Amino acid sequence: MMLDPDLSVAERIEAMIGEEIVEAPIGTQTECNTLVAFQTSLVPPFETTVNFSGGITQRCWSVTRTDGSYRVVYLPLAGYFSLCVESDFGPLDIGVHGSALGCFASV
């Protein structure tokens, strides 16, 4: 996927997610339900500090609202999405990485 270099970071993230939605499998009722739940949980991307093992933090972009336990974020330095668990210190990367929908569906 070629992204317009004039897009903001948030617009680029939205474009990546939009492509995932268009290409999402919907052959089963479970796949349809997951896609609808994913689309319902999406928020406009906003900057978020994510915690990683070893006390490392990184500025990332939240793309779904939290369900109280988890949220999906975009890791710009890595170029992929991550499932984060909510903690007292903010989102914590738990090592589930890949597409936004894939991370969301893993819960």
Side-chain angles (χ1 to χ4, degrees), residues 57-74:
T57 61
Q58 184 181 125
R59 293 300 289 170
C60 300
W61 292 77
S62 290
V63 299
T64 65
R65 70 181 49 81
T66 181
D67 67 358
S69 299
Y70 300 97
R71 80 169 85 170
V72 177
V73 300
Y74 179 69

Side-chain angles (χ1 to χ4, degrees), residues 2 17 20 29 33 40 57 64 71 75 78 83 88 91 101:
M2 294 297 294
I17 291 171
E20 283 189 41
Q29 190 61 49
N33 292 344
T40 301
T57 61
T64 65
R71 80 169 85 170
L75 308 178
L83 182 67
D88 290 341
L101 179 57

Side-chain angles (χ1 to χ4, degrees), residues 3-97:
L3 294 174
D4 182 344
D6 294 329
L7 295 177
S8 69
V9 174
E11 290 168 331
R12 288 172 186 236
I13 294 167
E14 287 175 332
M16 288 186 287
I17 291 171
E19 186 170 302
E20 283 189 41
I21 290 170
V22 168
E23 295 177 357
I26 53 170
T28 67
Q29 190 61 49
T30 299
E31 290 171 335
C32 288
N33 292 344
T34 299
L35 181 59
V36 168
F38 175 66
Q39 289 176 294
T40 301
S41 73
L42 288 173
V43 297
F46 63 92
E47 285 191 87
T48 305
T49 299
V50 173
N51 298 289
F52 294 86
S53 301
I56 297 168
T57 61
Q58 184 181 125
R59 293 300 289 170
C60 300
W61 292 77
S62 290
V63 299
T64 65
R65 70 181 49 81
T66 181
D67 67 358
S69 299
Y70 300 97
R71 80 169 85 170
V72 177
V73 300
Y74 179 69
L75 308 178
L77 294 178
Y80 49 69
F81 294 88
S82 172
L83 182 67
C84 290
V85 66
E86 298 296 335
S87 76
D88 290 341
F89 307 104
L92 174 64
D93 179 88
I94 58 173
V96 176
H97 302 133

